[in-house]
């Protein structure tokens, strides 16, 4: 499988520009309407590098993504004789800006979280992450527990991060609606069968229309392409062309999925649309589970018409290995400027280990470390039949862990949308993507407070490698 030449300098330039632009600054004060909190404030940090117990004081920086992180920090602090961790959490929208400011300003930050492999590659390339390859070797850590995809996170042949979260895609469906129809649940489908079933289930017109399935306009995952072993950087874009044509079939020919035009004009929220009985099926990431369960908790009356079911994401065919999209997705690394790197690795290893994984799974999130005990903890937390299937299935990563890949994704999304709203043909979309994908493009972010954009992106930036995550964490 050959790859098109990806502009390797762009995202490295993005990170460098962001850091250079912040040079000499102190971290910005928290804007109105955001929340920044320092965890474990009672812990003493008056002694440089340590506390009265003789343990090294570590400063850990993360975005606000749930109480489980504090539970992990507390568990580490309770058992560690090496270090005491003080965690600072920042509003998710502000995280990158504040992190870059702190890294550029040489602030006292030892450990920080990274949203993606692309972000890890960027910060490794700019010298902001510690090479932990030797630490991993010396610790005897079995990297196989994280799946085959973790090897792809290497930058220049070296490891700079360890994973603590992973993702997995599934096919979610409303069991009550299938039961009412008296038809079997959508287990073990191919993409052809999925499309046919979605069309058969679609009924009604206008505001009363019930769709067979719903794929949000912000979901840029190229499921079938990845399952075929291809990706957006391949020379041969035939698998991508087939997938784009399939999406057009779903959206505009079968009309079994709400069209791009209607989604954009209506501002439809996918999870709300799904849980309120407007569609039978909903392909998406594991966060869709907690979103759906949160909707049920907020609106208990939905239990009369909605019950969450989880099936394997549709496959290319019935034969061969079953694959979903996912794998290690969220990471923790050590600041290259930290003077406490050995102690920092002790915490990083804990974050990526079994005890932390059990805590993460107990909150209904998927950790990077997965064994039978973790699967059981996840299933018990979710309380939905089939939840464990999202952990057991083999996974292929949605992105390539190299600088510049997120820009390729952005170009694909632009050309796909123009095709799906009828402004260009399929051949034109593929040709434009193929040609534009060879060029490096830099985007200048508008000022979010002025144009009311949800996500703060200051200066030069690339597109997100995970648009679903961004949407879910507005």
């Amino acid at each position: 499988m050959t790859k098109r030449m990806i502009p390797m300098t762009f995202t490295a330039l993005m990170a460098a520009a962001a850091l250079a632009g912040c040079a000499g600054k102190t971290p910005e004060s928290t804007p109105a309407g955001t929340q920044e909190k320092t965890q474990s404030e009672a812990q003493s940090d008056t002694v440089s590098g340590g506390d009265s117990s003789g343990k090294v004081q570590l400063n850990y920086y993360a975005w606000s993504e749930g109480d489980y992180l504090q539970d992990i920090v507390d568990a580490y602090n309770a058992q560690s004789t090496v270090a005491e961790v003080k965690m600072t959490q920042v509003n998710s929208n502000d995280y990158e800006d504040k992190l870059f400011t702190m890294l550029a300003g040489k602030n006292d930050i030892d450990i920080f979280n990274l949203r993606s492999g692309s972000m890890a590659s960027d910060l490794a390339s700019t010298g902001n992450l510690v090479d932990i390859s030797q630490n991993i070797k010396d610790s005897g850590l079995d990297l196989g527990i994280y799946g085959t995809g973790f090897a792809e996170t290497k930058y220049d042949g070296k490891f700079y991060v360890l994973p603590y979260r992973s993702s997995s895609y599934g096919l979610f469906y409303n069991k009550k609606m299938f039961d009412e129809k008296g038809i079997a649940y959508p287990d073990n489908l191919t993409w052809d069968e999925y499309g046919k079933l979605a069309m058969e289930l679609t009924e009604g017109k206008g505001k009363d229309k019930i769709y067979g399935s719903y794929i949000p306009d912000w979901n840029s995952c190229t499921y079938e392409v990845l399952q075929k072993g291809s990706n957006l950087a391949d020379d041969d874009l035939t698998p991508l062309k087939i997938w784009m044509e399939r999406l057009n079939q779903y959206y505009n020919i079968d009309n079994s999925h709400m069209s791009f035009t209607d989604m954009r004009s209506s501002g439809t929220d996918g999870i709300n649309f799904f849980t309120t009985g407007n569609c039978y099926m909903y392909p998406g990431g594991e966060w869709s589970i907690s979103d759906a369960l949160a909707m049920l908790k907020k609106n208990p009356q939905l239990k009369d018409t909605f019950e969450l079911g989880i099936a394997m994401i549709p496959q290319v065919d019935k034969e061969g290995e079953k694959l979903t999209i996912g794998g290690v997705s969220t990471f923790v690394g050590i600041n290259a400027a930290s003077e406490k790197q050995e102690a920092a690795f002790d915490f990083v290893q804990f974050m990526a280990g079994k005890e932390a994984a059990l805590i993460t799974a107990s909150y209904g999130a998927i950790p990077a470390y997965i064994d039978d005990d973790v699967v059981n903890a996840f299933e018990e937390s979710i309380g939905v039949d089939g939840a464990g299937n999202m952990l057991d299935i083999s996974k292929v990563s949605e992105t390539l862990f190299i600088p510049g890949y997120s820009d390729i994704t952005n170009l694909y999304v632009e050309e796909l949308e123009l095709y799906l709203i009828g402004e260009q043909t399929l051949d034109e979309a593929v040709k434009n993507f193929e040609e534009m994908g060879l060029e490096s493009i830099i985007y200048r972010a508008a000022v979010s407070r002025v144009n009311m954009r949800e996500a703060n992106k200051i200066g030069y930036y690339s597109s997100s490698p995970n648009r679903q995550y961004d949407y879910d964490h507005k």
Side-chain angles (χ1 to χ4, degrees):
M1 178 171 56
T2 57
K3 298 284 190 295
R4 288 184 292 149
M5 181 64 69
I6 298 178
M8 298 293 286
T9 58
F10 170 60
T11 43
L13 172 62
M14 176 272 292
L19 294 174
C22 294
K25 297 181 181 179
T26 57
E28 301 173 20
S29 59
T30 305
T34 66
Q35 181 180 6
E36 180 173 331
K37 58 181 179 179
T38 300
Q39 306 287 349
S40 309
E41 291 181 344
Q43 299 168 358
S44 171
D45 60 352
T46 57
V47 179
S48 177
D51 63 15
S52 58
S53 68
K55 295 198 293 185
V56 175
Q57 178 77 54
L58 294 174
N59 293 315
Y60 169 42
Y61 209 68
W63 63 90
S64 51
E65 57 171 306
D67 293 337
Y68 75 92
L69 276 184
Q70 185 59 49
D71 285 355
I72 292 174
V73 170
D74 291 343
Y76 175 81
N77 288 338
Q79 60 85 48
S80 177
T81 59
V82 175
E84 189 81 7
V85 174
K86 182 173 68 175
M87 179 171 66
T88 299
Q89 285 187 296
V90 174
N91 182 281
S92 180
N93 288 337
D94 301 328
Y95 182 68
E96 278 80 4
D97 295 335
K98 289 183 176 293
L99 176 64
F100 292 162
T101 299
M102 293 188 74
L103 293 176
K106 307 300 181 184
N107 286 267
D108 189 10
I109 173 173
D110 302 298
I111 308 156
F112 56 90
N113 288 353
L114 302 97
R115 294 188 197 270
S116 67
S118 296
M119 183 179 179
S121 296
D122 294 338
L123 292 179
S125 70
T126 54
N128 294 105
L129 282 169
V130 172
D131 172 10
I132 59 174
S133 303
Q134 190 62 46
N135 302 79
I136 292 173
K137 182 178 180 180
D138 293 344
S139 70
L141 184 63
D142 178 13
L143 299 181
I145 196 70
Y146 306 123
T148 57
F150 180 61
E152 299 174 6
T153 65
K154 283 184 177 181
Y155 176 78
D156 198 23
K158 301 172 184 177
F159 288 109
Y160 289 84
V161 293
L162 283 178
Y164 69 92
R165 283 280 301 272
S166 63
S167 63
S168 183
Y169 285 68
L171 177 60
F172 307 106
Y173 60 95
N174 187 338
K175 296 174 74 172
K176 296 259 176 135
M177 293 178 72
F178 274 85
D179 290 342
E180 187 176 332
K181 277 280 188 179
I183 58 177
Y185 297 144
D187 295 320
N188 196 28
L189 299 179
T190 65
W191 286 109
D192 287 337
E193 291 170 338
Y194 163 81
K196 182 179 179 181
L197 178 60
M199 185 169 58
E200 292 173 350
L201 292 172
T202 301
E203 57 190 1
K205 295 182 179 180
K207 293 182 179 180
D208 296 324
K209 185 170 184 176
I210 305 296
Y211 290 90
S213 192
Y214 185 94
I215 301 178
D217 54 351
W218 45 262
N219 184 347
S220 60
C221 184
T222 56
Y223 297 98
E224 185 181 16
V225 177
L226 298 165
Q227 289 170 329
K228 289 179 175 179
S230 183
N231 57 64
L232 298 178
D234 275 357
D235 283 330
D236 182 6
L237 295 179
T238 301
L240 181 64
K241 185 174 182 179
I242 291 172
W243 174 248
M244 294 171 70
E245 188 172 27
R246 187 184 295 282
L247 288 177
N248 187 61
Q249 183 78 31
Y250 295 161
Y251 288 124
N252 299 321
I253 298 176
D254 296 345
N255 295 310
S256 59
H257 296 58
M258 182 181 285
S259 70
F260 254 56
T261 302
D262 288 345
M263 282 190 282
R264 292 293 169 86
S265 63
S266 64
T268 301
D269 176 81
I271 285 294
N272 181 69
F273 194 75
F274 173 49
T275 56
T276 52
N278 291 291
C279 64
Y280 284 79
M281 299 179 290
Y282 186 92
E286 80 286 345
W287 54 85
S288 304
I289 301 174
S290 57
D291 287 347
L293 296 180
M295 287 290 295
L296 286 172
K297 184 176 181 180
K298 183 179 179 181
N299 303 289
Q301 70 276 10
L302 290 178
K303 292 182 180 179
D304 295 334
T305 56
F306 179 83
E307 182 180 356
L308 182 63
I310 305 175
M312 180 173 56
I313 202 74
Q315 301 293 304
V316 174
D317 54 46
K318 295 287 189 183
E319 306 299 327
E321 182 183 22
K322 305 302 181 185
L323 289 172
T324 191
I325 314 307
V328 292
S329 61
T330 314
F331 306 87
V332 58
I334 302 170
N335 182 9
S338 171
E339 297 179 353
K340 298 166 270 186
Q341 295 177 9
E342 184 175 349
F345 181 77
D346 189 69
F347 175 69
V348 167
Q349 186 176 358
F350 183 86
M351 276 283 293
K354 182 170 182 174
E355 187 173 346
L358 288 169
I359 294 172
T360 302
S362 72
Y363 276 82
I366 300 180
Y369 183 109
I370 296 175
D371 64 9
D372 290 343
D373 293 334
V374 173
V375 171
N376 291 336
F378 179 74
E379 288 181 323
E380 182 178 348
S381 172
I382 295 298
V384 178
D385 291 341
N389 294 332
M390 299 186 69
L391 279 68
D392 293 334
I393 189 172
S394 296
K395 303 174 182 70
V396 57
S397 176
E398 184 175 357
T399 68
L400 296 184
F401 295 99
I402 54 176
Y405 192 74
S406 57
D407 310 304
I408 297 280
T409 302
N410 189 71
L411 294 172
Y412 159 69
V413 170
E414 292 175 356
E415 297 305 321
L416 174 67
E417 180 175 347
L418 291 174
Y419 165 53
L420 292 177
I421 64 176
E423 293 192 8
Q424 65 182 359
T425 66
L426 175 61
D427 287 338
E428 289 171 338
V430 173
K431 181 180 179 182
N432 290 339
F433 170 68
E434 187 172 24
E435 293 175 350
M436 294 175 64
L438 298 176
E439 301 174 2
S440 175
I441 295 180
I442 297 179
Y443 300 91
R444 176 70 182 179
V447 180
S448 63
R449 295 297 187 273
V450 175
N451 66 10
M452 301 303 290
R453 291 178 58 172
E454 289 284 345
N456 293 329
K457 291 187 176 179
I458 299 173
Y460 295 97
Y461 74 101
S462 70
S463 61
S464 169
N466 194 332
R467 289 160 63 92
Q468 285 185 315
Y469 186 96
D470 284 351
Y471 183 92
D472 192 57
H473 291 77
K474 283 182 177 180

